[in-house]
């Protein structure tokens, strides 16, 4: 790693230091956050310190309270985000496992979530954020997540949703060109774009589901401070799914 790369995090903290916003994950206080987005940039989106995005802050605000009230001992984090993983690894009361599909990535497992090589009833909690839109058979993946959860266990799922929530999930397996996928699904490696009917797919797998928008669950002042709002006009929904 070059000296410039090593110094970059310290430079960002100095550049963005302030009191307007605060990241609930790393508690960095900033005058502004960094713009983020693959094609269309969302202003004040990424924490300059831990790199959390809106959806990660939504997830952590729910998860940190959830872990206080639920008897969770084992967690499987699929395609783990570093900002969340660092916090969960520190917990001495949890057995925290990660899975990356890329066999070259550093991870506890390298599961294909359409066929998870793990026993039934193995985990109390599965975290899966912005993964299912990349998976050819997402219904099979949901059934596998259900299978490996302990009875009463929870899956926390996040997926990209249509800006207009009136649209149902759109997918077309004949669209394979990355440029066409950008036009149809919003990103070159996405296989679909979900609507609110995603909830029906989760119910089909056997879960009970609560659709949660943390921006609406916390006081308005807190939502502003933690930068929970997505400036692209998309709600950052978390689907809290319980194995019956």
């Amino acid at each position: 790693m070059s000296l410039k790369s090593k110094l970059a995090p310290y430079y960002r903290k100095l550049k963005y230091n302030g009191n307007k916003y605060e990241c609930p994950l790393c508690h960095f206080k900033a005058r502004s956050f960094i713009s983020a987005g693959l094609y269309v940039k969302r202003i004040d989106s990424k924490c300059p310190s831990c790199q959390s995005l809106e959806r990660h802050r939504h997830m952590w605000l729910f998860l940190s309270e959830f872990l206080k009230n639920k008897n969770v001992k084992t967690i499987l984090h699929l395609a783990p985000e570093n900002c969340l993983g660092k916090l969960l690894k520190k917990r001495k009361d949890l057995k925290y496992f990660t899975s990356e599909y890329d066999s070259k990535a550093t991870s506890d497992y390298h599961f294909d979530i359409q066929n998870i090589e793990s026993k039934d009833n193995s985990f109390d909690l599965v975290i899966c954020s912005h993964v299912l839109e990349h998976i050819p058979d997402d219904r099979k993946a949901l059934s596998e997540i259900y299978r490996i959860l302990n009875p009463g266990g929870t899956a926390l799922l996040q997926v990209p949703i249509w800006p207009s929530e009136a649209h149902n999930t759109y997918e077309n397996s004949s669209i394979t060109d990355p440029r066409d996928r950008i036009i149809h699904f919003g990103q070159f490696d996405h296989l679909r774009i979900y609507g609110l009917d995603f909830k029906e797919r989760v119910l089909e797998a056997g879960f009970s589901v609560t659709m949660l928008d943390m921006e609406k669950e916390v006081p308005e002042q807190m939502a502003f401070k933690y930068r929970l709002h997505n400036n692209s006009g998309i709600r950052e929904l978390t689907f809290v799914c319980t194995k019956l």
Side-chain angles (χ1 to χ4, degrees):
M1 182 183 291
S2 67
L3 179 61
K4 183 178 180 180
S5 297
K6 290 180 180 179
L7 293 176
Y10 301 100
Y11 172 74
R12 284 197 304 268
K13 287 184 178 182
L14 286 172
K15 180 180 178 181
Y16 288 94
N17 184 56
N19 290 301
K20 187 175 183 180
Y21 303 129
E22 181 180 344
C23 175
L25 285 82
C26 68
H27 303 292
F28 179 73
K29 294 181 180 180
R31 62 176 181 83
S32 66
F33 278 4
I34 301 170
S35 296
L38 193 57
Y39 308 114
V40 178
K41 297 299 182 184
R42 306 184 307 279
I43 62 169
D44 287 327
S45 174
K46 183 186 292 186
C47 171
S49 178
C50 72
Q51 311 289 287
S52 71
L53 298 173
E54 302 95 335
R55 66 177 182 266
H56 305 139
R57 297 191 285 275
H58 278 247
M59 176 72 79
W60 181 248
L61 284 173
F62 174 78
L63 182 58
S64 58
E65 290 301 314
F66 179 83
L67 291 174
K68 292 178 184 177
N69 302 311
K70 297 290 184 179
N71 186 28
V72 174
K73 299 298 182 184
T74 53
I75 298 177
L76 176 64
H77 195 169
L78 299 167
E81 301 88 348
N82 191 48
C83 58
L84 290 167
K86 280 184 176 180
L87 295 173
L88 293 169
K89 284 178 185 176
K90 291 179 181 178
R91 296 281 299 257
K92 302 300 182 183
D93 58 327
L94 300 173
K95 291 182 179 179
Y96 173 71
F97 302 97
T98 60
S99 177
E100 291 275 13
Y101 182 67
D102 183 358
S103 60
K104 296 179 181 179
T106 302
S107 188
D108 296 302
Y109 304 107
H110 301 283
F111 293 139
D112 173 355
I113 71 169
Q114 298 164 114
N115 184 26
I116 299 175
E117 295 180 0
S118 181
K119 295 179 181 178
D120 297 358
N121 310 321
S122 296
F123 301 97
D124 296 318
L125 177 67
V126 173
I127 302 170
C128 181
S129 176
H130 285 233
V131 174
L132 291 166
E133 66 274 14
H134 300 272
I135 305 302
D137 192 344
D138 63 334
R139 286 184 169 89
K140 184 66 167 62
L142 287 168
S143 69
E144 282 290 274
I145 291 172
Y146 185 91
R147 180 183 64 79
I148 65 170
L149 277 170
N150 288 321
T154 303
L156 299 180
L157 309 179
Q158 293 175 327
V159 294
I161 299 286
W162 277 104
S164 170
E165 294 176 355
H167 289 79
N168 286 333
T169 298
Y170 168 54
E171 54 191 334
N172 184 340
S173 59
S174 68
I175 299 171
T176 57
D177 188 291
R179 295 165 298 181
D180 292 334
R181 285 178 172 171
I182 293 171
I183 296 169
H184 286 261
F185 310 130
Q187 192 165 307
F188 72 95
D189 55 352
H190 286 187
L191 305 184
R192 65 188 62 82
I193 183 166
Y194 288 101
L196 295 183
D197 62 328
F198 173 68
K199 181 177 180 180
E200 302 304 316
R201 298 192 183 208
V202 180
L203 289 170
E204 286 174 15
F207 290 100
S208 67
V209 189
T210 300
M211 195 168 63
L212 188 68
D213 181 353
M214 287 303 296
E215 185 180 359
K216 307 300 181 185
E217 295 293 323
V218 301
E220 185 176 347
Q221 185 177 4
M222 183 182 291
F224 175 82
K225 178 181 179 182
Y226 290 155
R227 283 302 302 143
L228 301 184
H229 182 67
N230 182 321
N231 285 320
S232 295
I234 300 170
R235 286 199 295 168
E236 297 286 353
L237 298 173
T238 302
F239 294 83
V240 184
C241 312
T242 304
K243 181 173 180 176
L244 300 175

